[in-house]
Amino acid sequence: MCIATLIQGLFWCVFVRRAMTSFHLCTTARSLLKSYRHRAVLKTVQGLRVWEFRNMYPCTSIAVHSSMEEILRKTVAPLPTYEMRDKSPPPPESNSLEFMHFYKSLEKEQKLEFLEKLSHDFGVDHRWASDLALKLLDTQGRDVATILQVEDRLRYSLTPRYRQLLTHISKVQGGVKFLVDLRADLIEFASLKICDSSHMRDLNSTLKSLLSEWFSVGLLRLERITWQSPCEILQKISQYEAVHPVRNWTDIKRRVGPYRRCYAFTHASMPGEPLVVLHVALTEDIANNIQGIVREFSTLDAAEDVNKINAAIFYSISSTQAGLQGVELGNYLIKRVVRELQSEFPHMAQFSSLSPIPGFSLWLQGALNQHKKEGRAIELLSEQEWREVEDVMGAAPGAPALEALRRLISTSEWIRSDRLVRALEPALMRLCAWYLYGEKRRGYALNPVANFHLQNGATMWRLNWQADTSPRGIANSCGIMVNYRYFLQETSTNSAAYLQNKVIKASEQVLGLVSQSQKNSKL
């Protein structure tokens, strides 16, 4: 028997007996392909359809598909009747563990298929809910007690079957972390736009609601991270740092040393896992550049002088768990840290962030392109600024100069020329102020960092030129950073004004730059 015929026979066996020996047959077939290089074998493999070749043989995908249905039938218990909702015994813990083990064993695309089946086949019983909704309409003329009971039944009928499974998983060891990671997968699938199912959105919403309950601020523990903290925690703090990357152990030692504070929220169900991390610099005045905070090493072993500590600068806040996106943690962490610092330094009255401005450079390049297309290049800079820029770049006036400037901004080359830096400073500061204050999404600040601090009630207080001269800082925001100042007596009022009426509280410096930008750039 030729090898090609043998392999074709194996394909057929795998289809017929996939539930019995699928893994063994697939392994055998792979071994045959590896051992023989006969031309007929290669020709047979090349003739397979794409979906067959993707997993080498269809047996794997079919077996996994069958296993998905079996696991879901076994682990997702039926919703108890309304009368038995508080009396039904919980399912065995082994169900949750089996579900977790199976999900972890899947490839990314298989996880997507599995979650789609879970959300579609084990969600809300829509017929039951519809019947109860009609019944509720019929009871409107009845007594209040009857109406309330029907409403409660309707509310219960809107519970997805999988919600019980998620709740039981949270109670086993490692279950909460598993669910956080599972939601991270849901968010990734949605962001890649490979799944736009309403059932999947409902699963994500249900899981987010549960996580918001489990990670409520009253259940979180505030920890100060020091050089004496466990190595594993220090290493994770370094790995999770998303704003100003940690370079080495000396760098992290400085960030938790004198004149610095590092705090994290932790949760009892995820020991050793910081959920959100806040880095604070203790300074005499509100800092206007990041170099003095993360690049100086003179204070590694210094003793803190309380008289030199008048301000707390929040220079980095990083959420470590993608699955907790949308679960409010960062704003509560800042408020808790403020109380902690006030307890340690009663005289401290200045609280401010020193924040990056991600997205400004991309927005600026888009504005330059748009003005070039519309023939309005002169509007972005004043005539004097354009003349100086054209002279430095050696570019012709109008569109050529604008294109040359756009190219320089996109490559960060402009920072190498002192003359160009001086010429661009007023224009870039004006445009950056407009980007932060004037560019909106649904009425709120377009910039995500601005939106975060404004929701917390901070004031957009000061823009700082050449505040972050690192390659990353230049590429993201032309080196500009911004202070969001927390005036503690005003934060509640500012937060309400922003969230309810979309009003941004800003300082005279920021408003002055915005006014200049509107006048010069006609934005």
Side-chain angles (χ1 to χ4, degrees):
M1 181 185 295
C2 71
I3 300 301
T5 304
L6 175 61
I7 292 179
Q8 289 173 347
L10 284 174
F11 287 167
W12 178 251
C13 290
V14 169
F15 269 108
V16 175
R17 305 178 62 190
R18 63 182 181 273
M20 296 174 60
T21 56
S22 60
F23 177 79
H24 176 71
L25 289 176
C26 288
T27 306
T28 303
R30 289 190 181 95
S31 300
L32 284 171
L33 282 177
K34 188 174 181 180
S35 303
Y36 297 93
R37 300 298 181 185
H38 194 275
R39 188 184 301 269
V41 176
L42 297 177
K43 185 175 181 180
T44 301
V45 173
Q46 291 167 356
L48 293 174
R49 288 178 295 174
V50 173
W51 70 272
E52 292 173 327
F53 187 73
R54 184 170 159 190
N55 292 304
M56 190 57 75
Y57 304 107
C59 60
T60 302
S61 59
I62 292 175
V64 169
H65 184 84
S66 177
S67 298
M68 286 181 186
E69 294 180 346
E70 181 182 346
I71 287 289
L72 290 174
R73 280 196 303 268
K74 181 177 180 180
T75 60
V76 187
L79 196 67
T81 63
Y82 178 78
E83 290 74 17
M84 294 294 294
R85 64 193 185 282
D86 298 323
K87 302 174 184 177
S88 298
E93 187 177 290
S94 58
N95 280 11
S96 297
L97 295 173
E98 188 172 359
F99 182 95
M100 292 165 61
H101 178 74
F102 181 80
Y103 184 81
K104 290 177 181 178
S105 71
L106 299 176
E107 299 295 331
K108 209 71 172 177
E109 293 174 358
Q110 294 170 335
K111 288 181 177 180
L112 172 60
E113 180 185 356
F114 186 59
L115 293 175
E116 285 179 326
K117 290 183 68 63
L118 173 67
S119 63
H120 184 274
D121 298 346
F122 299 89
V124 172
D125 185 334
H126 299 293
R127 179 173 295 179
W128 182 26
S130 297
D131 290 343
L132 284 171
L134 291 173
K135 187 175 181 180
L136 178 62
L137 290 175
D138 293 338
T139 60
Q140 291 307 299
R142 304 279 298 276
D143 57 282
V144 175
T146 301
I147 294 174
L148 290 176
Q149 186 181 54
V150 176
E151 286 177 346
D152 195 45
R153 286 177 177 269
L154 176 58
R155 194 160 36 243
Y156 181 68
S157 73
L158 294 173
T159 304
R161 279 181 62 183
Y162 54 70
R163 184 185 174 100
Q164 284 198 113
L165 171 67
L166 300 178
T167 302
H168 289 305
I169 288 175
S170 73
K171 298 175 182 178
V172 304
Q173 185 173 2
V176 172
K177 173 61 175 169
F178 169 82
L179 292 175
V180 169
D181 292 340
L182 186 148
R183 182 163 183 261
D185 290 339
L186 285 169
I187 292 171
E188 181 182 359
F189 294 143
S191 67
L192 295 175
K193 301 188 184 305
I194 58 177
C195 175
D196 193 29
S197 160
S198 56
H199 292 96
M200 288 282 275
R201 289 196 296 271
D202 194 52
L203 173 59
N204 180 37
S205 177
T206 300
L207 190 49
K208 177 186 174 183
S209 176
L210 288 171
L211 291 172
S212 295
E213 293 178 15
W214 300 333
F215 287 89
S216 64
V217 66
L219 300 177
L220 301 177
R221 180 185 174 193
L222 180 67
E223 288 190 28
R224 179 183 168 188
I225 310 301
T226 69
W227 190 240
Q228 283 69 46
S229 297
C231 271
E232 295 79 4
I233 290 290
L234 289 169
Q235 187 172 5
K236 287 181 178 180
I237 295 292
S238 302
Q239 292 171 346
Y240 287 138
E241 173 56 33
V243 184
H244 304 291
V246 176
R247 297 182 294 278
N248 48 45
W249 279 104
T250 303
D251 194 4
I252 191 63
K253 185 176 182 181
R254 171 177 169 74
R255 297 191 192 196
V256 298
Y259 295 103
R260 299 292 178 269
R261 296 292 184 270
C262 179
Y263 297 93
F265 267 152
T266 59
H267 193 279
S269 296
M270 291 174 58
E273 280 286 348
L275 306 177
V276 58
V277 181
L278 177 66
H279 289 274
V280 185
L282 306 178
T283 60
E284 289 192 70
D285 301 300
I286 295 179
N288 61 6
N289 73 85
I290 197 64
Q291 288 80 231
I293 292 177
V294 301
R295 296 185 187 177
E296 292 179 358
F297 293 92
S298 58
T299 59
L300 270 174
D301 300 309
E304 290 181 350
D305 183 350
V306 177
N307 296 319
K308 293 183 178 180
I309 298 176
N310 300 315
I313 311 300
F314 312 127
Y315 66 91
S316 172
I317 185 166
S318 301
S319 179
T320 68
Q321 308 294 320
L324 293 179
Q325 178 181 309
V327 178
E328 294 293 346
L329 295 177
N331 57 345
Y332 292 119
L333 179 58
I334 288 179
K335 292 173 183 176
R336 287 281 298 276
V337 167
V338 166
R339 291 201 297 269
E340 194 79 6
L341 292 172
Q342 283 182 315
S343 175
E344 186 177 1
F345 305 101
H347 66 285
M348 183 181 288
Q350 298 182 83
F351 298 92
S352 173
S353 77
L354 180 61
S355 300
I357 312 172
F360 170 59
S361 291
L362 286 177
W363 174 85
L364 178 59
Q365 292 173 53
L368 290 169
N369 276 332
Q370 187 66 27
H371 279 64
K372 179 184 176 183
K373 290 178 183 177
E374 297 175 0
R376 298 188 295 124
I378 193 63
E379 293 179 2
L380 285 174
L381 279 69
S382 69
E383 292 183 13
Q384 177 59 36
E385 288 165 349
W386 271 121
R387 280 196 296 270
E388 191 166 352
V389 168
E390 290 159 3
D391 183 52
V392 175
M393 295 188 303
L402 189 146
E403 177 58 25
L405 178 59
R406 189 199 63 77
R407 223 170 24 245
L408 283 173
I409 295 293
S410 66
T411 60
S412 302
E413 289 296 318
W414 62 276
I415 200 69
R416 301 175 184 274
S417 167
D418 291 338
R419 285 184 62 195
L420 202 50
V421 167
R422 288 194 299 271
L424 289 176
E425 178 181 354
L428 292 183
M429 289 284 279
R430 290 196 309 265
L431 292 167
C432 188
W434 173 258
Y435 167 70
L436 291 173
Y437 185 88
E439 291 294 321
K440 305 292 178 60
R441 176 185 287 120
R442 298 174 183 171
Y444 298 105
L446 174 67
N447 182 266
V449 179
N451 190 53
F452 170 78
H453 287 289
L454 292 170
Q455 285 187 45
N456 292 346
T459 297
M460 193 178 289
W461 190 64
R462 184 176 68 193
L463 265 67
N464 305 292
W465 180 247
Q466 289 194 313
D468 185 358
T469 55
S470 69
R472 184 177 183 176
I474 298 298
N476 286 341
S477 59
C478 300
I480 305 172
M481 298 187 78
V482 56
N483 296 116
Y484 296 100
R485 182 89 178 264
Y486 284 81
F487 296 98
L488 302 183
Q489 298 82 5
E490 301 176 4
T491 53
S492 296
T493 303
N494 293 346
S495 177
Y498 180 69
L499 292 172
Q500 296 171 12
N501 302 315
K502 302 171 183 175
V503 174
I504 295 177
K505 182 67 179 296
S507 68
E508 290 184 6
Q509 185 232 24
V510 173
L511 293 176
L513 289 169
V514 169
S515 177
Q516 292 174 31
S517 185
Q518 290 175 308
K519 179 180 178 180
N520 290 310
S521 304
K522 296 183 175 62
L523 288 170

